[in-house]
Amino acid sequence: MAADDEIPRHPAGRDVDPLGDPFLRTRFALPARPATFLRRRRLLERLDQAVTAPLVLVEGAAGAGKTLLVADWAAGLDRPVAWLTMDEGVRRPGMFWAHLIEALRTADVPLPDDIGFPSDGSQVDHALLNRLAAGLSGITAGVTVVIDEYDNAVPDVSEQLAFVLHHGGPGLRLVLVTRTEPLLPLHRYRAAGRLTEIRDADLAFTSEEAVELLDLHGLRVPLAAADDLVDRTRGWAAGLRLCALAAGQNPDPELYLKEFEAGHSTVADFLLAEVLQRQPAPTQDLLLRVSVLERFCADLADNLTGRGDAARILAELHHANAFVEDLGHSWYRLHPLFREILRVHLRERHPGLEPELHRRAAHWLRRSGALPEMVSHGAAAGDWEFTARALVDDLAIGQLFTGLCSDDLAALFAGMEPTTTPESDLVQAARDLSRHDLDRGLAHLRHAEEHLAAEDAGLPAAQLSCALLEALAARLSGSLTRAEQAARAAAELQREVPGHLLDRHPELPALLLTHVGSARLWAGHLREARAALTAVTGDQGGASTAVARQESLVHLALIDYLDGWPDKAQRHVTAAQAESERFSLPEHADSGLGGVVMAAVAVERDELDRARTLLDRTPVRDSPDPVAAAGRSLVTARLLLAQGRARAALAAAATDVPTDTASPWAEGHTALVAACAHLAEGRPDAAADVLREAGTEQPACAVGMARVHLAAGDRSTALGVLDAMPGAQHIGPAVRVRATLVRAQAAYADGDEAAVRRLLTDALLAGRRDRLRRPFREAGAWLTPLLARTPLRELAAGWLTPADAYPGPEAEPVAVLVEPLSEREHDVLLRLARMMSTEEIAADLFVSVNTVKTHVKNLHRKLAVNRRTEAVRQARRLGLL
């Protein structure tokens, strides 16, 4: 036989495979892109940029958009593209190579005639592979070979393909489109930088791409709606397209995309057919059972199935891109949509099984120490006694009102059924107190205490939890005595609790100190409160103590404000905000106290619009924390006073905060607001009566009393009150500036100009750093002309002007118009009053910017002012506006 006859050749004149069947032309054709196909430029650029990579891997789950992406890219190439779509009939070596050779010929790739042809569908002669590689290496124009659905290939094909790719020369470029990673030496290509990879994460649609895709389907949705859809589908291409098709048939497409039931949809049909039903029965059973879990490991999955094969099955599912995501450290999770669909399918196939799966999961998670997840599954199983007992025994009761999952935990227990165990009462008490529902929380707490007192065996974890909740209840009740009793009881009980358990819950001592510090603050023991709260903020712990640190920081800020240190108060609030951002704490975890303090600082700086905005942003709760409630009432009253609304300020300050005991600082500052309101209405006697009843032990109240005596003309008594002011050496600038201004006003009334200048200099120096404008405004009209003189004017430059100090009518200078205004100057004045810029005025009047500047200078001269705002104010006094 001739040598040529030894090489199997393609049957002459016959278009058939090694089995004698005709080649199916659809296997060699680029898939058609539908009219709604979205060209994804970012991925096409990735493919275009990999011109030097001989191997391209596009790997993703079913419906990830792999095939259409590569088909779209291949259609635009200026070199031959041989396309082969594999299936079960092409997976064996002989059939694969016969079809690949046919794909090359279909693409008009010039192959030598002596390449040969497989004669056996199940195997291929290695000599044929040598000839094919040699033939491909001789093609200088280059060729791209795309093999779609390569996950159907048997291992032998991968080994043979690796050989041809290695020897096929620089002109050969192989693109594999697959659901699973092929058995090629990818590590070698990766290390050499000769591999381009596009995987599931790359194939996922972005929100912007989803908007474009939906637009192609005739659906106009905002980006926010697309964000939600992408989050739910994880950007899965098939899911997005199927949702778009279904939404197009719905009268409210946007609502459908937001609320569609995944378990009964075209998406469900796709995933059940393409993923679930392709799996063997044990794998299907495992997938259905783990659908009740957010995440799972092999041991947890085995616990739900009662078998021991989960490790192998999960590894295979992940490798096959079967919508099982590897989270690392042997933990997995299901694709969100797939999980939704599986849960619906679980309920239909196994009615009543779901609660039992949740119960098994809860018990496994309890043994593993995964508390938040245990609570979630225990609640879903309705096993309230087990869940509450686990929460209390683990000393995790504090996590119901601290940490990153507090809202979720409280919501889970909202449906808790009534039980008779002390643990259940403690959990319900914690939930109610965390929502500031004091009455219900105390009722549950008392029931728990009664049960614990009747127990024969000691339950130190439950008793310690009880002490913690008692401290919180005392704080909300405004009872320092009960709070400190609870803290002492907790200190004793901690000796009976295993150390390793306490180490796992640093939030317990942090919360106790926070509650005690807040109760001390309410009781007016500011120094002791500062000590407790500072101990909490000094802890550099993690998320478990973040809420305690945030609360302590804003309480310290309030103490700073009460002591007259607004700049320190602002720094403490800023630190609290940093804690909140760092750990993504629930909004207003600090009961809104931080915003209240910042509003108080804004009032001191006479930034009244900012103060109003901050107060409006701060939530108003029913039965809130008394410290936050009193603080809000007082700051609101101070703002109303600053706005000249004395009656409204009186009403705001008189807001009653229901507590067991009154707060000295709250009462004192309420009296101070009332006194200021009476003074504003010209009633110094009423102001004195209010302050006399409240007492002047607090420095701010002492300054207020001195101001009242001065307004009544009793300068010596006013100075005597200041001389006897308690804690004068520790007061901050906000109090010190006011006290100094009272002394300066007394010296002014006595005609002692030297003392006035010295005292005003001290006040300006003390107030400059904190930009304390409000005390100067409160001082009265006598101050305005003095601040206009040097050197006081220089000390006030940049932060305080005479007009800022007192805007009232009695402080206004006599309005004088030096020279009548021209018509054009009046036009400019009108636009200045509308806060228009120089450029805007020039454009509006059709004149140059320099012309406008000249008119403004003339206005300043004629109105005897130096600034635009003063020009507008003077013009209003003169009736020109």
Side-chain angles (χ1 to χ4, degrees), residues 54-55 65 175 298 321 324 331 336 424 442 532 537 556 672 734 773 781 792 865:
L55 180 59
V175 181
N321 276 318
V324 175
W331 283 83
S424 299
L442 279 173
T537 60
L556 286 170
L672 186 58
R773 301 183 186 90
L792 298 180
V865 297

Side-chain angles (χ1 to χ4, degrees), residues 683-731:
R683 294 184 291 156
D685 291 342
D689 289 341
V690 169
L691 284 174
R692 195 175 293 112
E693 183 177 348
T696 56
E697 290 80 10
Q698 298 178 66
C701 292
V703 174
M705 180 62 86
R707 186 180 168 206
V708 168
H709 285 303
L710 188 62
D714 190 351
R715 294 192 293 278
S716 61
T717 302
L719 294 175
V721 170
L722 292 179
D723 291 339
M725 183 170 60
Q729 67 274 23
H730 300 298
I731 62 173

Side-chain angles (χ1 to χ4, degrees), residues 468-790:
L468 174 65
L469 296 178
E470 185 63 50
L472 174 58
R475 166 187 170 179
L476 297 179
S477 303
S479 174
L480 175 59
T481 302
R482 282 171 43 211
E484 294 196 327
Q485 285 176 347
R488 286 192 295 270
E492 292 291 329
L493 288 165
Q494 286 182 40
R495 301 186 184 129
E496 303 179 32
V497 176
H500 68 89
L501 201 54
L502 290 172
D503 292 341
R504 288 213 309 264
H505 295 287
E507 73 274 5
L508 289 178
L511 286 168
L512 276 166
L513 276 175
T514 303
H515 300 332
V516 171
S518 180
R520 288 174 178 173
L521 170 55
W522 178 255
H525 301 177
L526 302 190
R527 186 174 301 178
E528 294 85 351
R530 186 184 292 277
L533 297 167
T534 302
V536 178
T537 60
D539 167 45
Q540 299 301 316
S544 62
T545 57
V547 169
R549 287 196 302 275
Q550 184 198 37
E551 280 202 291
S552 294
L553 284 165
V554 296
H555 278 71
L556 286 170
L558 179 60
I559 295 173
D560 291 332
Y561 170 72
L562 294 174
D563 284 342
W565 299 90
D567 190 58
K568 288 183 179 179
Q570 180 175 343
R571 290 200 297 271
H572 271 128
V573 174
T574 301
Q577 291 169 344
E579 286 290 321
S580 181
E581 293 171 4
R582 179 184 173 197
F583 294 103
S584 300
L585 298 179
E587 188 176 4
H588 299 300
D590 62 358
S591 300
L593 185 57
V596 166
V597 174
M598 289 300 289
V601 172
V603 171
E604 288 294 281
R605 293 171 177 169
D606 210 48
E607 299 167 352
L608 304 188
D609 289 341
R610 172 172 167 74
R612 181 74 266 168
T613 299
L614 287 165
L615 286 174
D616 289 343
R617 290 177 184 167
T618 304
V620 181
R621 296 186 177 184
D622 296 328
S623 302
D625 185 298
V627 170
R632 181 186 176 87
S633 296
L634 291 173
V635 175
T636 301
R638 292 297 306 274
L639 173 60
L640 292 169
L641 273 178
Q643 293 171 334
R645 301 167 61 189
R647 292 289 176 182
L650 277 171
T655 301
D656 184 44
V657 179
T659 53
D660 291 352
T661 58
S663 172
W665 63 263
E667 287 191 334
H669 280 262
T670 298
L672 186 58
V673 167
C676 291
H678 290 317
L679 277 183
E681 295 179 340
R683 294 184 291 156
D685 291 342
D689 289 341
V690 169
L691 284 174
R692 195 175 293 112
E693 183 177 348
T696 56
E697 290 80 10
Q698 298 178 66
C701 292
V703 174
M705 180 62 86
R707 186 180 168 206
V708 168
H709 285 303
L710 188 62
D714 190 351
R715 294 192 293 278
S716 61
T717 302
L719 294 175
V721 170
L722 292 179
D723 291 339
M725 183 170 60
Q729 67 274 23
H730 300 298
I731 62 173
V735 179
R736 188 164 63 251
V737 167
R738 286 180 169 86
T740 305
L741 289 174
V742 171
R743 293 183 184 277
Q745 187 175 359
Y748 178 81
D750 288 336
D752 189 346
E753 293 187 8
V756 171
R757 284 196 300 272
R758 174 177 55 79
L759 289 165
L760 288 181
T761 297
D762 290 345
L764 288 168
L765 290 172
R768 180 168 58 183
R769 178 177 177 178
D770 289 86
R771 304 190 304 282
L772 299 176
R773 301 183 186 90
R774 177 49 44 187
F776 293 91
R777 281 185 175 269
E778 293 170 353
W782 65 275
L783 189 58
T784 303
L786 297 176
L787 292 180
R789 302 173 186 172
T790 55

